[in-house]
Amino acid sequence: MSKTKQTHVPVLLHEVLDYLAPQAGKSFLDLTAGLGGHAGAVIELTTAPGRTTLIDRDPEAVRVLRKKFVDVEILQSDFRSALEKLARQGKRYDIILADLGVSSLHLDSGLRGFSFLRSGPLDMRLDANQALTAEKIVNTWSETDLADILKGYGEEKKSRAIAKNIVLNRPVHTTSQLADIVAKSYRFRSKIHPATKTFQALRIAVNDELKQLAHSLPLILEVLAPGGRLAVISFHSLEDRLVKNFLAENSGTLDAQLQILTKKPITASASEIVSNPRARSAKLRAAVKIKTRPL
Ligand SMILES: C[S@@+](CC[C@H](N)C(=O)[O-])C[C@H]1O[C@@H](n2cnc3c(N)ncnc32)[C@H](O)[C@@H]1O
């Protein structure tokens, strides 16, 4: 149960609770527990910390979670590996949540290298034990490979110009150096900071975020109990497309395993966006696992 007061503002919290419908005694798996904002609210309603598993890849987030929750299973792991383990153990959950991406823990500190607004090392690892960093990608990948990830993961229109400028200005060691190089690749100012898409693309590449999600979706379906509910919040169109297609492929037929609860993705209200700008690009999709039919 919760030991300390919550300070983190979780995105689309009311909507998540509506779709997950937590009730006393239900088991709960949070694949991206972060600072435990959503998890705390779900556990308050399931009142079943002993039937709860919280996962996060980031050791710092896990430290926060361990302080905040007792009697809860907390795993420091990427969710793909954790799901493989839980599936092997035959675990099943009534409620599963994935709130993808990064948290304020990553964006608020320059030291983690996720923010172009704060100077720091070009790191961007969610788990500091892994070898690949943004600095390694920026300084060792070919111009073509850099342009490909900027376009593929960042949908960056200036991918070729930025990749060229990065290669010309190597070595690049800090977030502010990289943000300057990207800004100089733009002749005109856009509504968003010019480095937004480059930083997003690098973060996705460093943490292999799309493969993590693609490989995990079938495992999520496996560990979701019959009648169980799933909610996924994504912040990137490529992630949302993976979720949307997976839900569509597993619903709508006589032998389908899922029933989709959100015809269209749920997005944040204008007032939530004002109080929490990160909610701007959030998309929530939810589904329920169909109970096994009698033969
Ligand atoms: C948006 S935050 C979650 C915030 C959380 N819902 C809350 O209310 O505090 C996403 C979290 O997922 C973690 N994460 C991202 N990708 C992950 C992965 N593949 N496996 C495990 N954790 C991951 C990040 O470290 C981050 O803490």
Side-chain angles (χ1 to χ4, degrees):
M1 206 48 103
S2 187
K3 277 202 296 194
T4 55
K5 205 166 173 279
Q6 273 175 236
T7 48
H8 183 67
V9 185
V11 166
L12 290 167
L13 178 61
H14 295 299
E15 293 82 351
V16 165
L17 293 178
D18 276 352
Y19 283 104
L20 290 180
Q23 290 163 19
K26 297 275 182 198
S27 53
F28 168 48
L29 172 63
D30 191 335
L31 296 169
T32 54
L35 300 173
H38 289 103
V42 172
I43 295 170
E44 291 284 341
L45 293 164
T46 57
T47 59
R51 307 193 64 205
T52 296
T53 304
L54 306 182
I55 295 166
D56 204 287
R57 194 173 192 173
D58 186 328
E60 247 186 272
V62 166
R63 264 195 293 281
V64 173
L65 293 168
R66 292 206 166 120
K67 274 200 190 139
K68 195 165 179 176
F69 300 104
V70 291
D71 298 333
V72 168
E73 180 180 35
I74 298 172
L75 307 176
Q76 193 260 307
S77 168
D78 67 86
F79 53 65
R80 178 185 175 180
S81 313
L83 280 161
E84 283 167 351
K85 187 172 146 203
L86 296 170
R88 268 198 310 276
Q89 293 170 341
K91 292 260 183 95
R92 296 291 178 269
Y93 294 89
D94 301 312
I95 299 170
I96 301 182
L97 172 65
D99 173 20
L100 301 169
V102 292
S103 76
S104 47
L105 194 66
H106 305 110
L107 298 171
D108 292 353
S109 157
L111 291 176
R112 301 294 301 267
F114 286 95
S115 172
F116 45 77
L117 298 174
R118 295 167 209 279
S119 193
L122 262 180
D123 192 317
M124 300 198 196
R125 289 172 297 177
L126 287 171
D127 178 357
N129 296 314
Q130 93 173 29
L132 185 65
T133 62
E135 186 170 13
K136 224 171 234 173
I137 293 180
V138 162
N139 290 303
T140 64
W141 285 22
S142 70
E143 187 178 322
T144 310
D145 287 349
L146 285 172
D148 286 349
I149 58 160
L150 296 183
K151 188 155 188 246
Y153 297 163
E155 291 161 330
E156 171 57 73
K157 289 200 182 89
K158 297 253 175 215
S159 56
R160 305 235 156 262
I162 295 170
K164 188 172 178 194
N165 283 339
I166 288 174
V167 171
L168 281 173
N169 286 283
R170 282 171 176 173
V172 185
H173 295 301
T174 65
T175 50
S176 43
Q177 246 182 305
L178 180 63
D180 278 354
I181 292 168
V182 178
K184 282 182 188 140
S185 313
Y186 270 87
R187 263 198 289 166
F188 303 104
R189 287 260 148 201
S190 60
K191 265 198 283 179
I192 59 166
H193 189 289
T196 307
K197 293 179 173 182
T198 295
F199 273 62
Q200 174 186 281
L202 281 169
R203 194 200 86 204
I204 291 174
V206 168
N207 299 292
D208 205 12
E209 292 180 27
L210 295 175
K211 261 196 220 143
Q212 269 282 320
L213 180 61
H215 288 288
S216 296
L217 287 166
L219 293 163
I220 292 175
L221 185 54
E222 192 178 333
V223 303
L224 188 62
R229 285 170 173 244
L230 162 69
V232 182
I233 305 173
S234 57
F235 293 84
H236 187 285
S237 58
L238 295 176
E239 281 172 349
D240 180 56
R241 199 178 308 155
L242 284 175
V243 178
K244 177 183 167 186
N245 291 344
F246 182 79
L247 297 185
E249 281 156 18
N250 288 283
S251 60
T253 58
L254 274 179
D255 58 349
Q257 295 203 66
L258 291 173
Q259 184 193 337
I260 297 176
L261 299 173
T262 46
K263 247 187 172 173
K264 284 192 174 162
I266 307 300
T267 54
S269 64
S271 61
E272 179 173 358
I273 294 170
V274 169
S275 62
N276 185 9
R278 211 184 138 258
R280 191 187 55 226
S281 46
K283 284 191 177 152
L284 165 68
R285 293 188 187 268
V288 58
K289 189 165 180 180
I290 293 165
K291 290 190 177 137
T292 317
R293 293 181 185 83
L295 291 172

